[in-house]
Amino acid sequence: MRLVLAAAPLEPVTVWDTRAAAVPRDTERLLMSDKRSEGFAQSSIPDAYDRFMLAQLFEPWANDLVSRARLEAGQSVLDVASGLGPVASRAAAVVGPQGRVVASDISAPMLARAAARPKGSGSHVIEYLECSAVALNLEDDSFDVVFCQQGLQFFADRATAVREMRRVVRPNGLVVISTWAADHPLGLFGPIAETLNDMKVDEPYANAYDPASYSMGASDLGELFTRSGLRDVSVETREIDAVWETPEEAICTLLGTPFGPLVTKLSLERQEQIRKALADRLVKSERGTVIIRTVSNTALGRK
């Protein structure tokens, strides 16, 4: 079964590609966030992430996040846990050729895919840095603004990560972080996790089926900022509707997550059962699209 996105300049993607990279079946799991981060380093994930999550989910949120910082031309920006770079790309378009944008991530394949994507306005200023969020390989007081979109909740040591972001931002500089909001549905990731859990698919990392591990409460996020030494801290809960043009596109989103390689190792019969079970959880609009409300907490703080 093959799905071709008409607007995509890439080659058609094989849905449930059984040739996907193998995932170790060891029982000695690493800590939740370490395993999550390593999961995105698998070579099969960035392609599906690009096709089925970037424009549908993460670019709209990136536009919202960057707008909160009120960037100016010529500023320097760091995007932590950048993934395929929607925040970095948007920031680069604003700061322009006289500015600087560094996209950091622990996943080399994600950074390589980001660097290879079609270039937009200002993208030539983006530098790509492979490093952990809890040990940023960057000088103190280097950036006017530091962003982190949907990464903090997955870090093993959240407090250290926020302190690192504060360390590298300049005095009076801004740290802006978003996480999925606790006490709200997890958008499409909720039905994906529920379906795979019901189908008894192995966890790709510890606590993968725990909804609380995907989100943070507004008060917890604000407290992290305050304890790190940031000031003028504010946290706002915001909503955006993510749109997939077809149910099949929405289903394929799971291939861009660490669950994807596990699913593609299953028999074709089991894969089809999962596809159908997930499809049954999706609600189509009148014109056939899948529209899912997503909710994030966005925190801002100054050094």
Side-chain angles (χ1 to χ4, degrees), residues 103-126:
S104 73
D105 202 286
I106 200 170
S107 169
M110 293 291 273
L111 291 175
R113 179 76 178 203
R117 297 191 76 249
K119 302 305 179 186
S121 174
S123 59
H124 57 280
V125 305
I126 301 177

Side-chain angles (χ1 to χ4, degrees), residues 3 9 13 34 65 74 95 110 120 126 134 142 157 179 196 205 257 269:
L3 174 64
V13 61
D34 295 331
L65 192 69
V95 302
M110 293 291 273
I126 301 177
V134 298
S142 299
D157 191 342
T179 72
L196 297 178
Y205 43 75
T257 75
E269 180 182 4

Side-chain angles (χ1 to χ4, degrees), residues 20-24 30 33-47 49 83-84 105-113 130-131 204-205 255-261:
V23 177
L30 298 176
S33 60
D34 295 331
K35 192 65 177 179
R36 272 189 164 107
S37 298
E38 290 183 0
F40 283 98
Q42 298 178 67
S43 59
S44 63
I45 290 177
D47 178 75
Y49 187 107
L84 294 188
D105 202 286
I106 200 170
S107 169
M110 293 291 273
L111 291 175
R113 179 76 178 203
E130 181 184 352
C131 72
Y205 43 75
L255 300 176
T257 75
F259 289 105

Side-chain angles (χ1 to χ4, degrees), residues 104-249:
S104 73
D105 202 286
I106 200 170
S107 169
M110 293 291 273
L111 291 175
R113 179 76 178 203
R117 297 191 76 249
K119 302 305 179 186
S121 174
S123 59
H124 57 280
V125 305
I126 301 177
E127 306 166 31
Y128 296 93
L129 175 65
E130 181 184 352
C131 72
S132 168
V134 298
L136 295 171
N137 188 21
L138 295 161
E139 297 293 328
D140 295 357
D141 306 331
S142 299
F143 299 93
D144 298 299
V145 179
V146 176
F147 292 107
C148 181
Q149 175 173 268
Q150 303 303 339
L152 180 65
Q153 64 266 44
F154 302 130
F155 301 156
D157 191 342
R158 297 168 176 174
T160 296
V162 175
R163 286 196 297 270
E164 276 289 274
M165 295 181 218
R166 182 189 180 279
R167 176 181 67 80
V168 300
V169 79
R170 291 172 178 149
N172 206 43
L174 194 64
V175 175
V176 187
I177 298 178
S178 66
T179 72
W180 301 127
D183 301 320
H184 291 271
L186 284 171
L188 185 54
F189 300 118
I192 287 174
E194 292 165 5
T195 298
L196 297 178
N197 194 18
D198 289 348
M199 300 294 290
K200 309 300 182 186
V201 175
D202 290 344
E203 289 183 315
Y205 43 75
N207 300 318
Y209 292 129
D210 177 9
S213 71
Y214 290 81
S215 60
M216 291 185 66
S219 60
D220 292 335
L221 189 54
E223 185 176 351
L224 270 179
F225 270 50
T226 301
R227 286 185 174 182
S228 76
L230 292 167
R231 58 183 174 81
D232 299 333
V233 175
S234 65
V235 183
E236 184 178 353
T237 301
R238 301 168 74 85
E239 300 180 349
I240 289 179
D241 286 341
V243 181
W244 286 263
E245 289 302 314
T246 67
E248 194 66 33
E249 282 189 25

